Amino acid sequence: MGKKKRPRRSFTPEFKAEIIELCQRGDRSIGQVAKDFDLTETAVRDWVRQAEVDTGRRDGLTSSEREELAALRRENRRLREDVDILKRATAFFAKETR
């Protein structure tokens, strides 16, 4: 038998901060904290890693930089679609005027 797939859950920033604090305190391992709160160890490790980046203890993109990057990528995708539509419209009208 395979493992049951766990439904996707979302957690408040306050809850994540509490879990991160428990892990960084050093009383328990990340695995133990994850087990105690019925979380996946991978998720907890990711939260701790991102908190370290946000506080400058580790290199990488901060949460705000990640949000900005995602917004810029969305805008870039939309602008590319707009340009593509304009190119097709230009080609259509150029063909019609001949």
Side-chain angles (χ1 to χ4, degrees):
M1 283 195 290
K3 283 186 173 181
K4 263 188 173 177
K5 189 168 183 175
R6 179 186 293 231
R8 188 165 190 90
R9 301 180 291 174
S10 60
F11 302 98
T12 64
E14 294 80 18
F15 178 76
K16 289 180 182 181
E18 183 181 329
I19 297 298
I20 291 165
E21 184 182 332
L22 286 172
C23 293
Q24 290 177 339
R25 224 184 276 161
D27 303 352
R28 297 182 273 182
S29 68
I30 290 177
Q32 187 60 48
V33 171
K35 187 184 289 186
D36 292 348
F37 286 89
D38 190 33
L39 302 167
T40 63
E41 190 172 338
T42 304
V44 175
R45 284 189 191 286
D46 289 344
W47 296 349
V48 170
R49 187 176 302 115
Q50 188 62 50
E52 290 172 350
V53 168
D54 290 346
T55 58
R57 289 186 284 175
R58 181 185 282 239
D59 288 338
L61 293 177
T62 64
S63 296
S64 61
E65 290 171 334
R66 284 183 184 278
E67 290 171 12
E68 182 181 10
L69 181 60
L72 289 171
R73 285 181 173 162
R74 279 192 302 273
E75 182 181 7
N76 193 358
R77 184 172 40 252
R78 186 186 56 78
L79 291 172
R80 286 179 191 271
E81 290 169 357
D82 290 351
V83 167
D84 188 45
I85 290 169
L86 291 172
K87 282 181 182 177
R88 283 189 266 142
T90 302
F92 174 78
F93 287 117
K95 185 176 162 185
E96 288 292 314
T97 58
R98 289 185 190 163

